[in-house]
Amino acid sequence: TPLEQTQEQDIHGIIEQLPDELKEVFDLYYYHDLPQTDIARMLQVDVRTIKRRWRSARLALQALCEQQLRSI
């Protein structure tokens, strides 16, 4: 439906606002369904770094979504 398409575009726009290192982890983990260990190997960082970036990405997205809702 048009509403769903608009919401999907809004979400992608919000994701694009993430810092690159968070966006990269979000993309690989959420959209490509890669395990955190594989992402860590690909990016040549410790898996704890990936876990931290994933958590930071989720918190940042939550804050950005809340901000967007307040502006409506």
Side-chain angles (χ1 to χ4, degrees):
T1 68
L3 177 58
E4 290 171 335
Q5 289 174 339
T6 300
Q7 290 172 335
E8 190 171 318
Q9 290 171 350
D10 288 346
I11 294 295
H12 290 297
I14 291 171
I15 292 168
E16 285 300 313
Q17 295 177 47
L18 290 174
D20 288 340
E21 69 178 16
L22 300 184
K23 188 172 20 178
E24 181 176 43
V25 170
F26 185 89
D27 181 59
L28 292 169
Y29 189 72
Y30 187 78
Y31 290 118
H32 296 280
D33 202 28
L34 292 174
Q36 291 178 342
T37 52
D38 289 356
I39 298 169
R41 198 173 310 114
M42 287 173 59
L43 301 179
Q44 299 179 343
V45 297
D46 191 85
V47 72
R48 290 175 298 193
T49 300
I50 299 304
K51 290 179 184 211
R52 180 183 48 78
R53 289 179 186 174
W54 172 244
R55 182 175 189 277
S56 295
R58 288 183 297 135
L59 291 173
L61 284 173
Q62 180 180 355
L64 289 167
C65 286
E66 288 172 355
Q67 182 181 29
Q68 177 122 356
L69 285 174
R70 281 193 298 268
S71 69
I72 294 177

